[in-house]
Amino acid sequence: MSLDADTIRRIAMLARIRVGEDEVAKLQGELNGILAWIEQLNEVDTDGVTPLSGASRLALRMREDAVTDGDIRDKVLANAPERIGPDGAFFAVPKVVE
Amino acid sequence: MAALTDLKLAEATELLAAKKISATELAKAHVDAIEKLSSLNAFIVATPERAMADAKRADERIAKGEAGPLEGIPLAIKDLFCTDGIQTTAGSRILGGFTPPYESTVSANLWRDGAVCLGKTNLDEFAMGSSNTTSAYGNVVNPWKRRGDNRDLVPGGSSGGSAAAVAARLCLGATATDTGGSIRQPAAFTGTVGIKPTYGRCSRWGIVAFASSLDQAGPMARSVKDCAILLRSMAGFDPKDSTSADVAVPDFAAALGQGVKGLRIGVPKEYRLDGLAPEIGALWEQGIAWLKAAGCTIHEISLPHTKYALPTYYIVAPAEASSNLARYDGVRFGLRVPGDSLDAQYEATRGEGFGEEVRRRIMIGTYVLSAGYYDAYYLKAQKVRALIARDFDEAWKSVDAILTPATPSSAFAIGEKQDDPVTMYLNDVFTVTANLAGLPGISVPAGLDAQGLPLGLQVVGRAFDEETVFRVAEAIEQAAGFSAVPQIRAGA
């Protein structure tokens, strides 16, 4: 199966990556090349196989259900490109509601 | 005595403990070497002041008899490990200006044990690549050259900066990470030793995430023993990583020196690829002969799903990457490119911030996880991954370790093999299976090709049996007697 130009634009939108119109054709070629190569997995009979999601065969641990945010507001905000509000206590984003 | 920069880590530890050298002079020799060989572009940022301060403290502790196992040892840190107060870029524009207010567990473990921080090494952007040519901070130059050919070669990737720094004697060891081969392939390309330990052995906390079910940290150094010493410090249970293994960390170096007599070595027939370079095949045969001579028994084994490992990886890794890299939103840290709306800002930031390879992988990952394609791609890949892991489970019934080539070729020139993404992906054909199955794998230099470039052999072992992996690697190291040095190196 081959991806058309519209699908490339849709994937870029889903991934929130701006892709120039002049880049669509190149990406289309590259992604189709990779997907065509991946298609060989269809040769493998996987009926009844339990999918393996991780390399660790150990069961995931439970942790205590406790607030562990560390109370480190300033450290969390330290790398923000733009801050807003009293003491710059919030991340700033473009207006999302009118 | 050898020049300070030519010392092995284990030798330096002994000389420091005997007060024959000081941590300060050792650090200074490496700081100077880094500055002198900056044209290799192995470091994104060097931290000479930090190094000298660390070394001074190390000398004080040695004087007081309080030395840790790595006291005064100058190390380089792949710029994928967050370091408190030192910029961390992951080789990407999108992390421009990011200075972590915390320290990764692995690097913290090294500082706890007395190591000296020389700086942060270059890498493929977000560790995605096999040539270190996708870094936003420029490609790294391999310190090795082909005989009679002055062209710059790649050091491999993604841990190309760490590999080049170790090979060129800019540090005694380095941290690296391996998602599909990113420790072992650059180790092979630079004549150094690198081990990807068992998944869960080293904490992932504070390492910039690429593909979380595959990422694993490990050391690179100039001997098997040096890697064993470093891994002991790096490894250990960490409650902050949900997949960290609560398993005791053995004294890996103590496993060395006992020989390999009686070990059963598997040679997987599926790794004899059509068109395998004759030199690689010959090196493999040589490795088999060495291990036989050292007292191992050799067994042909079958890992029938080997050929499906790379395509499986190129679904699983991009899928996980597309999720992990969703955090780069231009809001909380790193680059922000303004837009009229929040979505426009996301798209502009990520469009400008990510390089081509990262963008391709995020898009592949987004596609294989999207509605209607999840079962056909992602679920299918997880099932094939289970079969690949099962192949190894079967193999461990009859062998103790597996011997393979580390890479299908020696280092290539910058610009070669870059016509299409899949050609580059084939670099990891021998290494990626260990990531999918979560197994430890080491690359150890075993010889030179006809062009004078290093080649490596890989040893893969059972989960949490790095000790056997180190033992077999040591046997190869001793038999190979690899003593060639790169043309570009400190003191040359």
Side-chain angles (χ1 to χ4, degrees):
Chain A
M1 201 190 60
S2 183
L3 307 180
D4 60 19
D6 276 345
T7 308
I8 298 295
R9 292 185 195 99
R10 193 177 70 86
I11 297 169
M13 185 274 291
L14 286 172
R16 298 292 187 272
I17 295 176
R18 176 175 294 165
V19 167
E21 265 311 299
D22 52 332
E23 298 170 297
V24 171
K26 180 164 183 263
L27 273 168
Q28 189 182 352
E30 289 168 348
L31 265 51
N32 277 326
I34 295 167
L35 289 170
W37 174 66
I38 283 171
E39 295 286 331
Q40 57 179 299
L41 291 187
N42 293 331
E43 297 164 15
V44 187
D45 179 2
T46 53
D47 284 352
V49 176
T50 306
L52 181 63
S53 57
S56 172
R57 315 284 183 93
L58 307 171
L60 286 175
R61 293 182 305 278
M62 304 293 277
R63 64 162 175 82
E64 197 186 338
D65 185 14
V67 177
T68 56
D69 68 354
D71 195 18
I72 46 168
R73 188 192 76 179
D74 290 341
K75 282 189 172 186
V76 170
L77 288 161
N79 279 286
E82 191 185 348
R83 293 162 65 166
I84 199 165
D87 337 319
F90 299 94
F91 294 111
V93 294
K95 201 169 173 182
V96 285
V97 283
E98 292 303 323
Chain B
M1 194 174 72
L4 293 174
T5 46
D6 277 329
L7 292 171
K8 301 263 172 38
L9 188 156
E11 295 166 346
T13 304
E14 283 173 25
L15 292 170
L16 284 163
K19 301 194 177 68
K20 289 186 176 153
I21 59 171
S22 71
T24 298
E25 60 181 326
L26 188 61
K28 185 73 170 66
H30 286 92
V31 163
D32 290 348
I34 290 166
E35 197 185 328
K36 199 164 164 221
L37 293 182
S38 60
S39 59
L40 291 175
N41 202 25
F43 285 80
I44 290 177
V45 63
T47 56
E49 288 169 16
R50 160 79 185 265
M52 296 318 297
D54 284 356
K56 183 162 177 277
R57 208 161 36 236
D59 279 329
E60 288 163 8
R61 277 201 290 257
I62 292 168
K64 281 192 266 179
E66 294 169 1
L70 294 174
E71 202 69 55
I73 297 297
L75 299 179
I77 304 296
K78 185 178 184 180
D79 203 18
L80 201 64
F81 293 79
C82 287
T83 39
D84 194 350
I86 304 172
Q87 74 168 54
T88 299
T89 69
S92 182
R93 276 167 50 79
I94 210 159
L95 270 171
F98 175 64
T99 302
Y102 56 89
E103 187 78 26
S104 82
T105 298
V106 163
S107 53
N109 289 348
L110 293 170
W111 314 143
R112 173 202 66 203
D113 284 355
V116 168
C117 177
L118 291 170
K120 307 293 292 290
T121 53
N122 206 340
L123 69 160
D124 278 301
E125 184 178 8
F126 284 105
M128 297 180 192
S130 304
S131 60
N132 216 125
T133 53
T134 73
S135 170
Y137 295 84
N139 60 270
V140 175
V141 175
N142 192 329
W144 294 80
K145 302 272 184 202
R146 288 173 181 149
R147 228 175 257 128
D149 181 345
N150 206 34
R151 268 184 303 169
D152 285 344
L153 305 178
V154 304
S158 65
S159 310
S162 291
V166 171
R169 284 133 173 87
L170 307 183
C171 56
L172 293 182
T175 68
T177 61
D178 189 315
T179 304
S182 282
I183 290 176
R184 293 160 287 161
Q185 186 253 16
F189 276 17
T190 57
T192 58
V193 183
I195 180 167
K196 179 201 92 71
T198 309
Y199 184 83
R201 186 60 103 175
C202 291
S203 172
R204 290 182 295 107
W205 194 82
I207 300 174
V208 176
F210 161 16
S212 300
S213 81
L214 300 160
D215 296 344
Q216 182 58 208
M220 302 184 80
R222 292 195 294 271
S223 77
V224 172
K225 186 179 183 185
D226 289 359
C227 278
I229 293 168
L230 284 170
L231 182 58
R232 188 190 188 188
S233 285
M234 291 167 69
F237 174 60
D238 179 11
K240 288 188 285 197
D241 169 4
S242 63
T243 60
S244 171
D246 194 356
V247 174
V249 179
D251 181 350
F252 297 112
L256 299 175
Q258 54 178 293
V260 290
K261 207 168 168 54
L263 283 182
R264 300 167 301 169
I265 305 297
V267 176
K269 61 178 184 191
E270 290 80 6
Y271 281 56
R272 294 189 196 282
L273 307 175
D274 292 341
L276 180 68
E279 280 181 311
I280 303 290
L283 182 83
W284 196 9
E285 289 305 323
Q286 178 66 71
I288 292 167
W290 284 332
L291 292 180
K292 209 184 275 180
C296 296
T297 56
I298 307 297
H299 308 264
E300 183 177 273
I301 57 167
S302 176
L303 300 168
H305 295 89
T306 296
K307 78 173 269 211
Y308 302 107
L310 267 179
T312 298
Y313 176 83
Y314 276 95
I315 294 176
V316 171
E320 295 185 18
S322 73
S323 304
N324 272 326
L325 273 59
R327 75 191 64 182
Y328 301 101
D329 56 7
V331 173
R332 293 162 302 154
F333 44 77
L335 179 74
R336 163 180 236 167
V337 179
D340 294 340
S341 65
L342 187 56
D343 274 336
Q345 181 180 293
Y346 290 153
E347 291 178 353
T349 299
R350 293 162 63 81
E352 282 194 30
F354 292 133
E356 284 190 9
E357 180 61 23
V358 172
R359 185 168 74 169
R360 267 195 295 274
R361 296 206 198 182
I362 291 175
M363 290 181 69
I364 288 281
T366 301
Y367 178 68
V368 300
L369 291 175
S370 64
Y373 300 99
Y374 181 92
D375 286 2
Y377 288 107
Y378 187 60
L379 201 64
K380 180 77 181 181
Q382 287 188 317
K383 288 179 178 177
V384 180
R385 182 176 184 179
L387 294 174
I388 290 163
R390 195 188 288 173
D391 286 351
F392 281 101
D393 290 344
E394 284 300 313
W396 302 133
K397 291 175 184 167
S398 58
V399 298
D400 302 306
I402 295 171
L403 180 73
T404 79
T407 56
S409 74
S410 60
F412 44 89
I414 289 167
E416 279 175 9
K417 301 203 184 192
Q418 288 176 351
D419 307 340
D420 82 286
V422 173
T423 308
M424 184 63 78
Y425 297 168
L426 294 177
N427 267 287
D428 291 336
V429 65
F430 297 128
T431 49
V432 73
T433 49
N435 299 83
L436 291 166
L439 303 172
I442 196 168
S443 173
V444 55
L448 298 176
D449 71 1
Q451 308 176 97
L453 295 178
L455 296 171
L457 286 169
Q458 175 181 233
V459 181
V460 177
R462 292 188 181 90
F464 299 106
D465 188 17
E466 286 87 355
E467 288 165 289
T468 300
V469 171
F470 280 128
R471 283 170 62 198
V472 176
E474 184 191 38
I476 294 168
E477 184 178 54
Q478 287 173 351
F482 187 88
S483 59
V485 291
Q487 289 82 343
I488 305 174
R489 63 184 192 279

